């Protein structure tokens, strides 16, 4: 009596189904405005999404687990049908995706801290006095310029924020990323040697240790930022792709590299890189056909949420709404509109709140004429896990066979 | 930190509680009529179910997983409190139940294909040119008539559809059903030997191999249907019974053998076999008392759904409604009315859509006066897994003890 993996086991193989469009408004979910009791989405004038709602099954989604605030990586994995508690992306890879590194399968990434070492090599400040972004960028450029990369290996350092830096390695001679951290997690101690946990990762350990030594020499004259501590080594690994799991050839349309990165992790292609909100739909139009799942990512909703700008988030939602007719004109069988998490302007941060979701399909059970948290709460889907949206889209496009006779 | 199995662990043992009636309208869930926006159930005049709804907790159920369309076997297992991804019924057993074989515990069943073999014994057509049902029945009768069953073993062949045949074996000398398939899954190859995966299944392997050889000889003169390929061997096994798991003695009232079969799989008794919708309640009345769970199965709702006959499904629902007063007159403590899956007439097939459910009980939290998808969506239970209906019925009849102090 073994457990059956669903929906994977029921996927109809070798047949191309009708297209699915997944529209993600980053950080869509919100909290009520104190004066009106309406959320950002409910305060928006979205005639096109409302029209879609009238032929949609609506619901609210849990992105990871109740009470858990997702980062963008896990939030999107859920929307792609991958439970982020099962498919864990390494920290270094997430950081690299976050600063916009275009990762390839096999690339290795890690989180570096600029740190202060004394003349004996002991760590005196694990964050090098929290330098300004500009100061850190200057020092990182210094290292990047003077570093002699090992033969056949590309080494890239990308400043993140203050003392945080991302290390990105690429090359055929690279090994695995099962490496120990060099951060001793305390001052007064030497940096720990970077050791390989398996045979495959030995070349990587050697390469990284060499880079760390070079950086110490290049930065020897710096008063505080005179070396790095490394942690969270991770390889950009192939998880089972959307095609392997669900028979879906996916394509991503996203201005920001982080979202293209997470999409590529599950095997989506990048037919083009949009330069704006509007251009996201233009690139979609130019590349329509040949894929099964079209993932569109819109960032401004989240940005305005972080800014605490209620009206700005409303405007961002309304701009996306104005593009919906161009998406429906392509006649996808199923359109999902949702977010990867909530970013209520009242909180100015990602939050754990359920995210409204709309699934327009000929086989939906509509319950209203509005897209918003209240309408979704009363919707046919109830409160479901975000990974189930993809299962439902597969069902609505006839891609799943019956379970049992 | 071991996992606690609930509700099983909390079942009050050795005490007989008040009776539960489970009314299953097969394929109950529907989709809105394009002109009215109302589903089949919502379009039905069901005064008795509506009256029950007014003293019921209402909810929507997920039968297997979101997006997964259940067959009748898995759908019913869920309603009996058995997660069908954990309790997987073998293919042969499901097929045998599906063609109406009355299986006993220990019986072995398999799916056979009528196939074409060349003079060297190589498979040239795995489906024997997809014969008509009549042609296949003729050949199956030929084999059944000439076959010499091994001592103490009953061998029954039942035509299913076209090339599909069910093999049913019964007898004390039978062993287990851990057998490999003989279907090579390709033409130009010999049938594979049927091998036992464990010691217990060796006698079965020998018996089945003998039957396959006899069939080849009996059919030697047939031009295309001159042998069988076998797969999906499965024994009708005792899963832990309703009595073992929940302390429930169950009884099934179902006209069609498939549903009696699934009920018997979990240990239900068959006090009598109804000959019609109305007779289902008559047989219940004649056998009231002595059981804890009375399962009534009504098929017509599903049949009309498959026919795409919206009005017919409405009529079928209304006919069942007219019988409800005879059920309530028996004064069960809890009445559940639901379906084993949706069969929307718009789809003419089973579907993945949530199924409306009603639980009439003195301890319910009523939310309305109507039984339908919209009312159930707004009901007290929310969207729950169908297996939870049984847990709730146990709770409502005082059969579960408090968890922890």
């Amino acid at each position: 009596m073994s457990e059956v993996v669903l929906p994977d086991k029921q996927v109809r193989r070798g047949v191309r189904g009708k297209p699915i469009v997944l529209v993600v408004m980053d950080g869509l979910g919100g909290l009520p405005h104190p004066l009106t009791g309406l959320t950002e989405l409910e305060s928006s004038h979205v005639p096109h999404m409302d029209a879609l709602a009238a032929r949609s099954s609506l619901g609210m989604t849990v992105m990871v687990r109740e009470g858990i605030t997702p980062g963008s990586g896990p939030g999107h994995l859920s929307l792609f049908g991958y439970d982020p508690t099962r498919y864990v992306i390494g920290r270094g890879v997430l950081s690299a995706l976050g600063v916009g590194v275009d990762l390839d399968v096999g690339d290795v990434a890690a989180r570096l801290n600029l740190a202060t070492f004394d003349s004996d090599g002991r760590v005196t400040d694990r964050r090098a006095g929290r330098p300004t972004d500009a100061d850190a960028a200057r020092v990182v450029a210094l290292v990047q310029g003077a570093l002699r990369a090992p033969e056949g290996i590309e080494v890239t350092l990308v400043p993140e924020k203050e003392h945080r830096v991302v290390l990105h390695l690429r090359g055929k001679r690279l090994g695995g990323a099962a490496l120990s951290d060099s951060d001793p997690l305390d001052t007064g101690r030497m940096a720990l040697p970077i050791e390989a946990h398996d045979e495959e990762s030995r070349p990587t350990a050697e390469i990284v240790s060499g880079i760390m030594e070079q950086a110490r020499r290049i930065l020897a004259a710096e008063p505080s930022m005179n070396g790095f501590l490394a942690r969270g080594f991770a390889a950009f690994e192939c998880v089972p792709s959307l095609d392997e799991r669900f028979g879906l050839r996916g394509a991503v349309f996203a201005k920001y590299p982080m979202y293209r990165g997470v999409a590529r992790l599950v095997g989506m292609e990048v037919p083009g890189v949009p330069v704006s909100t509007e251009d996201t739909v233009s690139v979609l139009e130019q590349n329509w056909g040949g894929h099964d799942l079209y993932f569109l990512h819109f960032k401004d909703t989240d940005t305005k949420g972080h800014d605490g700008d209620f009206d700005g988030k409303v405007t961002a939602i309304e701009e996306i709404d104005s593009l919906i007719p161009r998406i429906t004109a392509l006649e996808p069988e199923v359109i999902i509109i949702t977010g990867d998490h909530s970013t209520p302007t009242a909180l100015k941060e990602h939050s754990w709140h359920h995210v409204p979701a709309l699934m327009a399909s000929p086989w939906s059970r509509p319950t209203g004429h509005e897209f918003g948290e209240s309408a979704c709460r009363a919707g046919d889907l109830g409160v479901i896990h975000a990974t189930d949206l993809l299962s439902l889209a597969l069902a609505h496009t006839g891609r799943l066979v019956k379970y049992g006779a």
Side-chain angles (χ1 to χ4, degrees), chain A:
Chain A
M1 280 203 261
S2 59
E3 205 93 8
V4 178
V5 178
L6 296 175
D8 311 42
K9 195 185 151 285
Q10 300 311 110
V11 171
R12 211 184 285 279
R13 303 283 169 184
V15 183
R16 294 257 84 103
K18 292 178 177 171
I20 302 164
V21 170
L22 168 64
V23 174
V24 176
M25 294 193 266
D26 203 301
L28 175 63
L31 282 171
H33 193 286
L35 296 180
T36 63
L38 299 175
T39 66
E40 298 88 325
L41 176 57
E42 289 170 342
S43 306
S44 306
H45 178 64
V46 287
H48 305 300
M49 294 190 202
D50 287 347
L52 275 185
R55 59 180 185 90
S56 290
S57 291
L58 304 179
M60 294 294 278
T61 62
V62 177
M63 300 311 302
V64 182
R65 294 288 183 271
E66 291 292 356
I68 302 300
T69 295
S72 293
H76 279 90
L77 279 187
S78 279
L79 293 175
F80 302 155
Y82 293 72
D83 184 337
T85 68
R86 229 194 116 197
Y87 296 94
V88 180
I89 313 179
R91 186 183 179 131
V93 164
L94 266 181
S95 294
L97 294 175
V99 296
V101 173
D102 255 340
L103 290 173
D104 273 346
V105 169
D107 288 6
V108 170
R111 268 283 305 279
L112 303 182
N113 271 14
L114 279 164
T116 313
F117 296 79
D118 68 14
S119 54
D120 296 334
R122 288 195 169 73
V123 179
T124 58
D125 188 332
R126 290 177 53 244
R127 296 180 189 85
R130 287 197 183 269
T132 64
D133 293 357
D135 258 3
R138 175 186 58 80
V139 165
V140 168
L142 197 65
V143 178
Q144 186 74 66
L147 193 75
R148 297 175 68 104
E151 175 79 23
I153 303 287
E154 287 175 52
V155 180
T156 316
L157 294 162
V158 186
E160 195 178 331
K161 203 173 163 51
E162 298 175 339
H163 56 282
R164 299 182 196 93
V165 178
V166 171
L167 170 67
H168 171 216
L169 303 176
R170 176 176 292 170
K172 291 234 167 79
R173 280 187 47 236
L174 259 183
L179 302 182
S180 63
D181 296 348
S182 71
D183 190 339
L185 297 176
D186 211 351
T187 51
R189 298 177 58 193
M190 314 287 281
L192 304 173
I194 293 167
E195 284 169 351
H197 295 313
D198 57 27
E199 196 59 38
E200 193 200 343
S201 302
R202 275 176 195 248
T204 325
E206 202 174 305
I207 288 164
V208 173
S209 301
I211 293 168
M212 295 292 104
E213 277 172 37
Q214 284 193 58
R216 288 293 308 282
R217 283 201 297 273
I218 297 165
L219 298 174
E222 287 290 327
S224 60
M225 295 178 276
N226 62 355
F228 289 112
L229 296 171
R231 57 193 162 132
F233 285 95
F236 190 70
E237 280 170 313
C238 262
V239 301
S241 71
L242 284 168
D243 198 9
E244 289 170 82
R245 288 193 60 199
F246 311 124
L248 293 178
R249 289 171 304 186
V252 49
F253 304 85
K255 183 178 167 193
Y256 292 90
M258 164 100 189
Y259 310 98
R260 294 197 300 274
V262 186
R264 290 171 59 233
L265 190 71
V266 297
M268 285 197 213
E269 288 170 15
V270 187
V273 176
V275 296
S276 68
T277 297
E278 190 273 335
D279 194 44
T280 308
V281 177
S282 301
V283 179
L284 171 74
E285 288 167 335
Q286 289 148 23
N287 293 281
W288 185 254
H291 290 91
D292 303 293
L293 175 68
Y294 298 85
F295 158 48
L296 280 73
H297 180 268
F298 297 103
K299 178 71 181 167
D300 293 353
T301 38
D302 181 57
T303 310
K304 298 300 178 185
H306 281 284
D307 294 347
D309 180 357
F310 195 97
D311 294 342
K313 190 168 170 187
V314 167
T315 305
I317 293 168
E318 291 177 349
E319 186 187 359
I320 299 160
D321 186 70
S322 72
L323 300 169
I324 296 294
R326 289 169 57 189
I327 299 173
T328 51
L330 300 169
E331 300 188 349
E333 181 81 350
V334 167
I335 302 178
I336 299 170
I337 305 182
T338 188
D340 58 335
H341 52 77
S342 294
T343 308
T345 48
L347 272 169
K348 298 187 182 183
E349 290 206 37
H350 293 197
S351 80
W352 62 91
H353 298 88
H354 297 167
V355 180
L358 163 165
M359 178 168 304
S361 146
W363 311 112
S364 65
R365 280 171 166 171
T367 47
H369 300 266
E370 220 181 304
F371 184 42
E373 282 82 349
S374 292
C376 288
R377 206 175 284 128
D380 185 55
L381 302 178
V383 178
I384 61 174
H385 198 277
T387 51
D388 289 331
L389 286 175
L390 195 96
S391 303
L392 286 165
L394 294 172
H396 279 251
T397 52
R399 285 181 166 90
L400 300 179
V401 299
K402 189 163 67 172
Y403 181 68

